[in-house]
Amino acid sequence: MRTLLLAVMMPAALFSQTEPEIGSEAAPKMNIVKTNVTAYAFRNVNLTYERIINKRFSVSVGYGTVAKGGIPFSNSFIKDTEFEDIEISQSHFTIEPRIYLGQGYGKGFYFAPYYRHTTFDAENVVLDVDFSGDTVPMSISGQAKGNSAGLMVGAQWFLGKTDSWVLDFWIAGGHYGGGKGDFRARSPRALTPAEQAQLKTEIEDLDIPFVEYTVATDANGANINVDGPWAGVRSGLSLGYRF
């Protein structure tokens, strides 16, 4: 009889050690709140909530916003003074399932397919157009939105005596999709029909890589409709709290 009881109880005891029940004292903490600290160098204020589903899976939801201002570190790669006064802002919303391959329950190496929605605004983009010796500065502003999907790989660790602090290393990630936008080029003076035709040609000849756009001009400037691919990369280091 004792042998029979041991045979019945042993599998249950082993299972409880490898898959602790939620609500028991041994159950892992299933919620993580964190922020990507490296993104603050780019004015990107962000917050992510991760919910652990089971040993191998979790779901993260993140939001970030870049306040309106100049392009971060633009002095390193923009030499044209025409673009010194550009102001940009951005926001992004990300849904990210994670697949953990290591110890699990939010710890170890992971793969993370994700979806991201991004909104991008730009102001004070100046295009100087020479109309027979009369240089007219066109101020361009507008908004574009993109939807993309991608994949990220990373690793996450728990720190502290109670494993309450979290270090999340986004090793590398990239996403690709499509985006659309509407921008307006405003002229400080009325344009003649000939000048409108020249403005249309000059904007079309900008030949922006990987971007398709159409241009329609009028006496006050031009409307630029953008439609094309949308891509980006992800990397960084996040710090958080687990509860």
Side-chain angles (χ1 to χ4, degrees):
M1 185 65 178
R2 180 176 297 176
T3 303
L4 179 60
L5 287 174
L6 287 173
V8 171
M9 296 299 294
M10 186 61 72
L14 291 173
F15 181 81
S16 66
Q17 292 174 18
T18 57
E19 298 286 344
E21 296 180 359
I22 298 174
S24 70
E25 291 184 358
K29 301 170 184 178
M30 308 297 278
N31 305 284
I32 301 173
V33 176
K34 52 194 166 182
T35 185
N36 181 358
V37 294
T38 52
Y40 285 87
F42 301 91
R43 298 200 315 275
N44 187 338
V45 180
N46 62 93
L47 187 67
T48 297
Y49 168 71
E50 181 179 0
R51 172 66 181 180
I52 309 300
I53 306 300
N54 55 38
K55 184 175 182 179
R56 295 299 174 200
F57 298 99
S58 75
V59 176
S60 290
V61 178
Y63 178 79
T65 180
V66 177
K68 183 164 61 173
I71 300 174
F73 309 110
S74 59
N75 292 335
S76 341
F77 56 89
I78 295 180
K79 306 302 180 183
D80 196 331
T81 57
E82 288 184 326
F83 300 104
E84 287 182 346
D85 297 326
I86 292 178
E87 290 189 334
I88 64 167
S89 61
Q90 179 181 303
S91 63
H92 54 83
F93 173 75
T94 308
I95 299 176
E96 177 186 296
R98 288 186 169 190
I99 304 168
Y100 284 92
L101 304 179
Q103 292 176 288
Y105 289 107
K107 186 177 183 179
F109 184 79
Y110 62 81
F111 286 96
Y114 64 91
Y115 159 80
R116 171 167 284 192
H117 174 78
T118 306
T119 301
F120 174 83
D121 292 89
E123 297 180 10
N124 297 328
V125 181
V126 178
L127 175 66
D128 289 327
V129 183
D130 185 5
F131 297 117
S132 301
D134 180 17
T135 300
V136 177
M138 300 285 173
S139 179
I140 303 174
S141 62
Q143 182 182 86
K145 296 183 178 182
N147 295 287
S148 51
L151 177 67
M152 184 172 71
V153 294
Q156 186 160 268
W157 297 272
F158 300 154
L159 309 174
K161 292 182 179 180
T162 60
D163 286 345
S164 295
W165 298 101
V166 175
L167 181 65
D168 185 7
F169 178 30
W170 299 356
I171 298 173
H175 50 274
Y176 183 85
K180 294 185 177 182
D182 296 303
F183 293 84
R184 175 69 181 173
R186 294 178 174 83
S187 172
R189 66 168 177 81
L191 302 177
T192 66
E195 290 172 337
Q196 293 176 41
Q198 180 182 337
L199 175 61
K200 185 175 187 296
T201 299
E202 292 210 14
I203 295 177
E204 290 175 341
D205 288 345
L206 290 175
D207 193 24
I208 303 173
F210 310 112
V211 176
E212 297 179 2
Y213 58 94
T214 58
V215 182
T217 57
D218 55 47
N220 298 313
N223 290 320
I224 307 166
N225 300 113
V226 177
D227 188 356
W230 193 282
V233 295
R234 295 176 70 191
S235 184
L237 192 66
S238 293
L239 297 177
Y241 185 75
R242 176 172 169 255
F243 59 97

